[in-house]
Amino acid sequence: MTLATLALSLAAGILGGAMNALAGGGTFATLPALIALGLPANTANATSNVALLPGAATSAWAFREELGPVGGVGLRLLSAITFVGGLAGSLLLAATPTHVFDLVIPWLLLFAFVVIAFGKRAADALKQRVAIGTRTLIVAQGCLGIYGGYFGGGVGLMTTAVYGLLAGVSPRALFAPRTLMLAIANLAAAIVFIAVGLVRWAACLPMLAGAILGGWAGAHIGKRLSPGLVRGWTLLVTAVTTGVFFWRAYC
């Protein structure tokens, strides 16, 4: 690791940690940086996950006073479901060959981009037509945990969209539970990725330090920034990253 690569890893960690705290999507900052450093896509994804874990935990701690049940479901149950789902998703990634993941990842990025761009509208439209119950929320949380463990890009925004189906819950009120679920999914995945040796520590450690700083700063900045500004920046980063990965895989 040269000084330049250390700086890139650190800067990507700061940006990724801040993005996760503000709206989610921190993977869109860290994953391209790790691939630019020469890591295979699945190794880069696992390394990114572990690097963002402390930042997610820092953000969750900053929002701890705002935590509470979601849609009548207690945080302990939601946390347990997310942890089990994260374990399952990360085991699936560990079993996915690198060349297959290279072809899959652009579509995962595109899916996350669509959720970021249209998730709120879809949630608002569905909320007018259906009432989500606790069973539906539990199933949805399990799916979010699996996705978070396998890839994680945009999972924070997906969580916001799913929780947005609950009547009377504003996106701002979801900062705390969403950030906690993200940290738990990352923790479950990190256990598997470290156990199977998918993490490149030379690139992970400076990114991890940056993510802690970015997660702490993002959590405090998020209490002051307008949602529109945060969403616009996230959309821009997501769109550019998605385009680059499609070009990389298919051109």
Side-chain angles (χ1 to χ4, degrees):
M1 294 286 287
T2 65
L3 183 60
T5 57
L6 283 170
L8 174 61
S9 182
L10 177 67
I14 293 173
L15 180 58
M19 288 178 66
N20 273 347
L22 291 170
T27 302
F28 289 95
T30 56
L31 185 61
L34 290 168
I35 290 179
L37 291 176
L39 274 65
N42 56 353
T43 302
N45 186 60
T47 302
S48 168
N49 180 287
V50 174
L52 289 174
L53 172 59
T58 302
S59 299
W61 178 256
F63 286 123
R64 66 190 182 280
E65 294 180 356
E66 302 178 22
L67 288 170
V70 178
V73 181
L75 281 179
R76 289 186 179 181
L77 178 57
L78 288 176
S79 299
I81 294 168
T82 302
F83 187 81
V84 173
L87 288 176
S90 56
L91 287 169
L92 181 60
L93 175 68
T96 302
T98 300
H99 69 279
V100 174
F101 192 67
D102 281 335
L103 298 176
V104 171
I105 194 170
W107 297 101
L108 294 173
L109 291 168
L110 179 61
F111 175 63
F113 173 74
V114 171
V115 170
I116 295 169
F118 304 107
K120 185 179 184 302
R121 294 181 185 177
D124 290 343
L126 284 171
K127 188 164 60 177
Q128 296 174 3
R129 294 170 173 81
V130 300
I132 187 170
T134 55
R135 292 183 181 179
T136 307
L137 177 59
I138 289 171
V139 172
Q141 190 65 52
C143 293
L144 289 168
I146 294 171
Y147 179 82
Y150 185 78
F151 176 55
V155 69
L157 295 136
M158 294 176 191
T159 302
T160 299
V162 170
Y163 290 177
L165 291 173
L166 301 170
V169 181
S170 68
R172 175 62 186 86
L174 297 175
F175 270 21
R178 183 206 67 208
T179 305
L180 178 61
M181 293 306 116
L182 176 67
I184 291 172
N186 278 11
L187 173 62
I191 293 172
V192 174
F193 295 151
I194 293 172
V196 301
L198 269 179
V199 180
R200 298 288 178 85
W201 291 105
C204 180
L205 292 178
M207 185 171 284
L208 184 151
I212 293 174
L213 177 60
W216 178 85
H220 288 81
I221 293 171
K223 297 176 181 180
R224 298 173 178 84
L225 288 181
S226 68
L229 181 63
V230 172
R231 183 174 182 275
W233 168 253
T234 305
L235 276 172
L236 176 62
V237 173
T238 305
V240 171
T241 304
T242 301
V244 168
F245 272 85
F246 265 105
W247 179 85
R248 175 178 175 270
Y250 295 102
C251 296

